[in-house]
Amino acid sequence: MDLNGTYEKRLLRAAARAYRDQLDAAYRTDADRAIASRIVASAAFAEAPAVMAYYAVGTEVDTRAIISTALEAGKTVALPRCRRGGLMDWHRIAALTDVAPGYGGIPEPADDPSTLIDAAALPPTVLALVPGLLFDDAGFRLGYGGGFYDRFLAAFPGHAIGLIRARQRIESLADRRALEPFDRPVSYVVTEEDGLTIP
Ligand SMILES: Nc1nc2c(c(=O)[nH]1)N(C=O)[C@@H](CNc1ccc(C(=O)N[C@@H](CCC(=O)O)C(=O)O)cc1)CN2
Ligand SMILES: Nc1ncnc2c1ncn2[C@@H]1O[C@H](COP(=O)(O)OP(=O)(O)OP(=O)(O)O)[C@@H](O)[C@H]1O
């Protein structure tokens, strides 16, 4: 797997990581709470039978409140398991504790065939919560460089929602020469300030 990418992506990735890690904890907590509120209050969330989530680590936007609310509402919640070749398998979880450290130290669900979900066969009402170091105004993202979400989004039929704090947005990855042909945008970007509000 290519964990490098272009020179511009590598520079921006390092800067975005350092920038994210120095955001103060109070700002992150408040922003993450507002982001979660916007998502669970949205019509898209209400209509979604399933949520393809991520298990946040370090200073990523916290998804625990969204996952708990989805589970309580009886929705299917799935988390990714990284496979060779930049691919992810998705497994249904029954609780936030149904994980163990996996690829890159990120908690993953067990490799259990009975919980495996075919993400490409899901209905268009399903949501995917997409992590990133940065999102731009067109919905393009910069991740950790594994290409996992580019490959996933290329075949995902539902609504992909990027979760990012307002201070971590930039105008255009293309203008910074940090876009490649295989980069896939999300359908919506939600910050503490905008995105997916109730009408
Ligand atoms: N919470 C969360 N889960 C996620 C992602 C994510 O961004 N956030 N992913 C989104 O794709 C996938 C995991 N992607 C990953 C990509 C690279 C590395 C990693 O270990 N990168 C090293 C660089 C190589 C190295 O120095 O070892 C690193 O970050 O230090 C980890 C996970 C699936 N699950
Ligand atoms: N659809 C694809 N098909 C084949 N290779 C791909 C595809 N998407 C990405 N790649 C490969 O993955 C590598 C990493 O891509 P990129 O730098 O965009 O990762 P990222 O989006 O930051 O990471 P992640 O999605 O894991 O958070 C690329 O250099 C490319 O070689």
Side-chain angles (χ1 to χ4, degrees):
M1 175 192 339
D2 183 358
L3 283 171
N4 296 314
T6 66
Y7 176 64
E8 287 82 0
K9 271 194 181 175
R10 288 161 64 187
L11 278 183
L12 206 50
R13 189 173 284 130
R17 213 184 244 275
Y19 180 80
R20 181 186 70 180
D21 292 345
Q22 59 78 52
L23 289 171
D24 71 84
Y27 168 69
R28 286 194 280 107
T29 309
D30 289 352
D32 294 5
R33 191 177 294 128
I35 290 167
S37 300
R38 278 182 184 278
I39 290 172
V40 303
S42 69
F45 183 83
E47 285 162 15
V51 180
M52 314 304 275
Y54 65 91
Y55 193 102
V57 294
T59 52
E60 290 184 321
V61 174
D62 192 357
T63 51
R64 285 174 299 182
I66 306 168
I67 291 173
S68 302
T69 305
L71 288 171
E72 282 160 22
K75 297 179 192 300
T76 295
V77 176
L79 290 173
R81 268 185 72 86
C82 293
R83 283 176 31 194
R84 307 285 145 261
L87 298 173
M88 296 188 284
D89 277 343
W90 292 87
H91 289 269
R92 184 165 36 81
I93 57 162
L96 263 168
T97 48
D98 282 355
V99 289
Y103 184 84
I106 299 177
E108 293 183 340
D111 186 9
D112 174 356
S114 75
T115 58
L116 186 65
I117 287 174
D118 181 359
L122 290 165
T125 46
V126 166
L127 302 186
L129 309 180
V130 181
L133 288 167
L134 279 181
F135 280 87
D136 77 5
D137 292 345
F140 285 105
R141 59 184 285 281
L142 192 66
Y144 295 147
F148 290 103
Y149 275 92
D150 294 324
R151 290 182 181 82
F152 167 69
L153 292 174
F156 179 64
H159 304 294
I161 306 176
L163 276 60
I164 198 74
R165 303 176 193 104
R167 293 184 195 169
Q168 293 171 263
R169 294 198 72 168
I170 64 166
E171 212 171 286
S172 165
L173 279 162
D175 286 356
R176 292 177 187 243
R177 295 162 38 92
L179 262 200
E180 293 176 273
F182 48 77
D183 282 314
R184 290 282 172 277
V186 292
S187 339
Y188 306 94
V189 176
V190 177
T191 73
E192 69 274 27
E193 291 172 357
D194 51 33
L196 278 194
T197 36
I198 340 167

